[in-house]
Amino acid sequence: MLRDMQPLAVLGDFREYHINLYGFGPRKVLVTDEEVAYPDGKLIVSRTDTRGIITHCNQSFVDMSGYQRESLIGTEHSILRHPDMPSAAFKSLWDDVEAGKIWHGYVKNLRRDGKFYWVYATVIPNVRNGRVEGYTSVRRKPSRTKIRESIALYKQLKAQEGSSWDGPED
Amino acid sequence: METTFQLTVSPDFTPERISGWYIYNTWLQRNLGLHFHLEMYDSFDAQRTAICQDEVDLIYANPFDASMLVREKGFRAVAYPVGVTDECVVVVPAGSSVQKIEDVQPNARVASTDDPDIQLVGMIMLEPADLSTSNVQSIVVDGYVLVAKALLKGEADVGFFLKDAWDGLSNPVRKQLRPLVTSQISDIHHVLLVGPRLMESAEDIQSLMLRMPEIEKGQGVLESLGFEGWAEVDQEDTEFMIDLMDTLKAR
């Protein structure tokens, strides 16, 4: 089970949430309103097994997450789950990749220090000898236009889920 | 009659490497004991036609084509070059008002070669400006010198370069241009792939590439190709790179 986030790792004022991670149970997360810019020219790459456990991540993934590589490998990918993300977005992701399809979407990710960063993510099933053995996720830099559109959409989805969007709106 | 196999090279090679590939072909035949004909196609389309017609047996391919070669044509990747990268540089004229990617406007004129992975990565780097192939004017030219020329003559607003080609431009040319951003993907690279007709020699070719620096004249051949050496590629490495390329190609 994922460890709760630690206040000592978070700089400045933060809000506390308890989110329920599908398949992994509850986790306390601490978030701030500070965004970290996506690094130009880089791709953030990770792979998981079919349960969503991280098996590989590149240096950009490590750098943007704020965690040590050793604490990422073997951990649930939902360690990046930000409470502003609606559950419906991840349901759509899992529905697509488990059906063998490619999924695309804009995702607000949570760092170890409570800050966030936006990505445009593409997730693809890793098919080996006809079987899905895991998933590769590649993120790239999204435009501000797409981020604003995603915030508007996710606010609606969260309202339908009975929660609210508490982060910055741009 | 002795079989002649075809060796070919991704057409994104820079002109100064052409002689290196002929030297490599001679060295390979001598050390492998097989007969190869080196075919240097001048376009990706011409090379793909040859691949589709099963004319190619050994290919130094770019990552974009590796997917098709492995999954559709039964090729096997055996080695990738050390010391070269497949990164893309997005460049504007030095005097351009564009200071960052987000300043590039719709309908921008974008010059590139027909190198598919550089076109792909270049367009990905324009995405933060809400640009895609549907709202830029694409200008495809025959080489990276012509990409530079299009920028210098004011015929293009943005140019995509293979990093090696950008680094190889003369200083006076580079001073009139300005790189906006360079990709740092590092997980994708060219690979040497063995085709079905040559498959029984795949292990020998891989072993020869890995030992190349220790074999007579091998180091000199590597230098003429601009490589530090070759590194082993296994099936899973190849599959991973193909998955990664597939995520980039997907829209």
Side-chain angles (χ1 to χ4, degrees), chain B residues 7-50:
Chain B
L7 163 66
T8 187
V9 176
S10 174
D12 53 12
F13 51 81
T14 52
E16 64 268 26
R17 299 296 177 209
I18 294 175
S19 60
W21 284 106
Y22 281 95
I23 297 167
Y24 172 83
N25 184 36
T26 305
W27 183 91
L28 185 69
Q29 293 181 86
R30 185 172 300 144
N31 285 279
L32 206 55
L34 296 174
H35 193 237
F36 284 93
H37 164 70
L38 174 61
E39 186 70 45
M40 301 290 271
Y41 294 98
D42 60 7
S43 75
F44 281 90
D45 277 348
Q47 190 177 66
R48 286 201 194 110
T49 300

Side-chain angles (χ1 to χ4, degrees), chain A residues 1 4-5 8 16 29 31 40 46-47 53 55 60 70 79 84 100-101 104-105 124 126 139 142 151 163 167 170:
Chain A
M1 195 175 88
D4 288 339
M5 286 177 67
L8 279 176
E16 181 178 316
V29 295
V31 309
D40 279 323
S46 62
R47 299 171 82 184
I53 303 292
T55 55
S60 297
E70 305 78 63
I79 193 170
D84 278 342
K101 297 180 193 164
H104 307 269
I124 188 170
N126 304 137
R139 297 83 165 177
I151 291 172
S163 58
D170 191 2

Side-chain angles (χ1 to χ4, degrees), chain B residues 12-16 85 87 89 113 143-145 160-170 174:
Chain B
D12 53 12
F13 51 81
T14 52
E16 64 268 26
T85 65
E87 304 298 354
V89 189
T113 67
Y144 288 107
V145 170
F160 297 156
F161 289 84
L162 179 69
K163 185 163 187 314
D164 279 357
W166 166 252
D167 292 342
L169 292 176
S170 68
R174 281 203 295 173

Side-chain angles (χ1 to χ4, degrees), chain B residues 6-217:
Chain B
Q6 188 190 107
L7 163 66
T8 187
V9 176
S10 174
D12 53 12
F13 51 81
T14 52
E16 64 268 26
R17 299 296 177 209
I18 294 175
S19 60
W21 284 106
Y22 281 95
I23 297 167
Y24 172 83
N25 184 36
T26 305
W27 183 91
L28 185 69
Q29 293 181 86
R30 185 172 300 144
N31 285 279
L32 206 55
L34 296 174
H35 193 237
F36 284 93
H37 164 70
L38 174 61
E39 186 70 45
M40 301 290 271
Y41 294 98
D42 60 7
S43 75
F44 281 90
D45 277 348
Q47 190 177 66
R48 286 201 194 110
T49 300
I51 293 166
C52 287
Q53 292 171 350
D54 298 326
E55 291 169 11
V56 173
D57 299 299
L58 183 63
I59 178 169
Y60 178 69
N62 79 18
F64 197 96
D65 288 332
S67 172
M68 177 262 287
L69 286 158
V70 170
R71 297 220 167 134
E72 294 170 31
K73 302 302 288 183
F75 279 64
R76 175 185 156 194
V78 292
Y80 72 89
V82 179
V84 290
T85 65
D86 276 313
E87 304 298 354
C88 169
V89 189
V90 179
V91 174
V92 294
S96 168
S97 60
V98 171
Q99 298 298 320
K100 58 183 189 301
I101 289 290
E102 286 83 348
D103 295 337
V104 182
Q105 296 297 310
N107 293 319
R109 297 163 301 168
V110 178
S112 67
T113 67
D114 65 346
D115 186 342
D117 55 341
I118 295 302
Q119 281 185 342
L120 179 71
V121 174
M123 285 311 303
I124 285 172
M125 287 199 287
L126 293 187
E127 286 175 350
D130 286 315
L131 298 178
S132 68
T133 50
S134 65
N135 64 352
V136 299
Q137 299 177 54
S138 181
I139 302 168
V140 178
V141 294
D142 280 342
Y144 288 107
V145 170
L146 295 180
V147 174
K149 202 169 169 185
L151 290 166
L152 295 175
K153 289 174 71 180
E155 293 168 355
D157 305 305
V158 177
F160 297 156
F161 289 84
L162 179 69
K163 185 163 187 314
D164 279 357
W166 166 252
D167 292 342
L169 292 176
S170 68
N171 277 338
V173 170
R174 281 203 295 173
K175 275 186 181 163
Q176 297 176 71
L177 302 171
R178 176 160 44 85
L180 273 188
V181 60
T182 301
S183 68
Q184 297 172 67
I185 294 176
S186 72
D187 286 311
I188 62 171
H189 37 68
H190 280 56
V191 279
L192 185 70
L193 298 124
V194 177
R197 270 197 307 264
L198 192 56
M199 200 57 77
E200 63 181 43
S201 299
E203 301 289 335
D204 293 341
I205 293 170
Q206 184 178 56
S207 165
L208 191 62
M209 295 305 103
L210 301 181
R211 292 183 292 114
M212 200 164 165
E214 301 136 35
I215 299 173
E216 188 186 3
K217 296 187 177 167

